[in-house]
Amino acid sequence: MQNLMNKDFYPEDMQETILCNKIKEIKNSEEISKFLKDVEYLLKDKTEIFAYRIKEPFSAIRTYRLANYKNANKLHDLIGILIVVDKVEEIENIEKIIKEKVEVDNIKIYNLLNEKEFELRHYKKLKDVEASKYNELIFEDISKWIYIPNDLNILLPPFSYNMLCKKKFNSIDYEIPIEIRIQTKEDFITTESYYYTIHKNDNLQINVKIPLLCMSFRILRRMSNIAFEDNIEMIEKYKREIEQIKNENIDFIEENKENFEYVLSEHSKIINCWKNKLDIYQFKRN
């Protein structure tokens, strides 16, 4: 998989410099490294995938600008933990273990797993969109077809169960924001299919990227569900909805055929990797 994300982001003001300095501190902290390894030891055997990362400076600056933040403290995921489970019923147990055994503060739960009643949406190339509107416009779209918690005001991945929290470490004099994202295998595959092909693909113009991403979310999720579904009626339902979405957006899909087929091809590869128990990108299967 080719990573087409632009990595040429460097601090241009005081807040971005503060952000980069924080990340450097976090990366150099043995205390934080031990904390992450301890959490991995606690949860790894109960998951399909357990992974963590400390945000890279270029990625943090990119997020800071796309989200139109004005303060370095706005980023919620300087540390990110990804947990993938087989079935949605397992999420509750993972949440319980984290709450009982992982010492973090100010946990806020944001469940973005549940779609509203199916309705079609029409997508087309946008006009005169600034990059700083990226998160805002995607959030606006997904709020139309996913149940969004009332107090959520930042963009989180659709089809994810998110635990946002903070932790104070002795070696650092401020709280570190942590995002713990829990997903089923289907929703993990969905996310990874669009993550680099669209979301992090900085070769795509922003006025095409936003509608292409928003349209692909629901198509990919239904394709992922079909790959692991045994119920014939549910399979047929997902297929019908995929065709309805495609038919509603047939002109937009045709205009962006190469990009759309790239996404579908990546999805097929990831499904194949999962079913053959292979690693997916940097994510190791347990």
Side-chain angles (χ1 to χ4, degrees):
M1 176 64 200
Q2 186 179 6
N3 185 345
L4 298 174
M5 179 169 60
N6 179 11
K7 297 183 179 181
D8 291 329
F9 287 93
Y10 303 97
E12 295 180 352
D13 60 29
M14 181 59 71
Q15 287 300 314
E16 292 180 355
T17 301
I18 290 171
L19 188 56
C20 291
N21 288 339
K22 283 186 174 184
I23 291 171
K24 184 177 180 180
E25 275 191 289
I26 295 168
K27 283 180 174 289
N28 290 335
S29 171
E30 293 182 5
E31 184 184 8
I32 292 175
S33 177
K34 182 180 183 304
F35 165 76
L36 291 170
K37 288 175 182 175
D38 288 346
V39 177
E40 180 178 24
Y41 179 79
L42 178 67
L43 291 170
K44 187 173 182 179
D45 291 343
K46 301 171 181 64
T47 66
E48 296 287 329
I49 290 175
F50 181 97
Y52 60 82
R53 63 100 181 99
I54 296 167
K55 208 168 186 72
E56 293 293 337
F58 71 84
S59 180
I61 294 172
R62 181 182 184 277
T63 299
Y64 179 86
R65 294 178 187 172
L66 285 174
N68 200 25
Y69 291 146
K70 304 299 182 185
N71 187 298
N73 294 327
K74 287 283 189 179
L75 269 78
H76 65 276
D77 63 342
L78 294 187
I79 293 176
I81 296 174
L82 170 67
I83 297 166
V84 181
V85 295
D86 184 45
K87 303 292 184 184
V88 70
E89 293 80 10
E90 298 172 43
I91 292 176
E92 184 178 352
N93 183 50
I94 297 294
E95 177 188 349
K96 182 180 179 183
I97 293 171
I98 291 171
K99 285 182 173 179
E100 290 179 353
K101 298 186 177 181
V102 179
E103 295 183 3
V104 291
D105 300 316
N106 303 319
I107 295 178
K108 293 184 178 180
I109 306 294
Y110 295 109
N111 180 350
L112 276 69
L113 295 173
N114 301 313
E115 290 188 57
K116 299 177 182 178
E117 185 175 349
F118 180 76
E119 289 185 2
L120 289 174
R121 290 184 62 73
H122 184 74
Y123 294 100
K124 61 182 181 180
K125 184 177 179 179
L126 303 176
K127 295 180 180 179
D128 304 324
V129 180
E130 296 178 7
S132 61
K133 294 288 185 181
Y134 181 78
N135 282 22
E136 178 184 333
L137 290 172
I138 293 175
F139 185 91
E140 180 182 311
D141 189 271
I142 67 173
S143 66
K144 298 288 194 298
W145 48 268
I146 273 191
Y147 288 104
I148 303 288
N150 290 334
D151 60 337
L152 180 63
N153 55 15
I154 58 174
L155 180 65
L156 296 173
F159 320 131
S160 60
Y161 192 90
N162 303 277
M163 304 178 70
L164 303 189
C165 53
K166 295 183 179 181
K167 182 168 177 62
K168 180 70 175 68
F169 295 92
N170 294 327
S171 57
I172 294 178
D173 61 2
Y174 49 85
E175 289 185 312
I176 306 297
I178 302 172
E179 177 191 282
I180 303 173
R181 172 161 44 106
I182 312 172
Q183 291 184 295
T184 63
K185 60 183 180 298
E186 293 89 349
D187 290 337
F188 166 75
I189 289 167
T190 297
T191 300
E192 293 308 307
S193 298
Y194 70 71
Y195 194 74
Y196 286 114
T197 56
I198 307 176
H199 180 50
K200 296 288 186 178
N201 183 349
D202 290 326
N203 286 350
L204 279 174
Q205 292 183 336
I206 200 84
N207 58 347
V208 170
K209 178 189 286 194
I210 292 172
L212 182 61
L213 180 58
C214 292
M215 182 192 69
S216 298
F217 282 140
R218 293 193 292 169
I219 292 176
L220 291 169
R221 191 189 209 193
R222 282 155 178 76
M223 290 175 64
S224 298
N225 287 342
I226 287 170
F228 298 97
E229 181 60 70
D230 295 322
N231 186 309
I232 300 299
E233 289 185 4
M234 290 304 299
I235 291 173
E236 292 304 315
K237 176 178 180 292
Y238 294 139
K239 286 182 177 179
R240 284 195 305 272
E241 291 175 351
I242 289 171
E243 285 308 305
Q244 287 177 285
I245 296 170
K246 287 182 175 180
N247 289 337
E248 177 67 20
N249 296 282
I250 190 166
D251 291 338
F252 181 67
I253 289 173
E254 188 60 32
E255 290 166 5
N256 298 279
K257 186 176 181 180
E258 184 176 347
N259 290 320
F260 187 61
E261 288 181 349
Y262 181 33
V263 178
L264 299 186
S265 172
E266 196 61 26
H267 181 269
S268 178
K269 291 176 186 176
I270 297 172
I271 290 285
N272 182 63
C273 286
W274 188 278
K275 291 193 170 185
N276 287 284
K277 301 186 183 303
L278 302 174
D279 295 339
I280 296 171
Y281 308 144
Q282 73 271 32
F283 301 112
K284 304 294 182 183
R285 296 289 300 278
N286 293 335

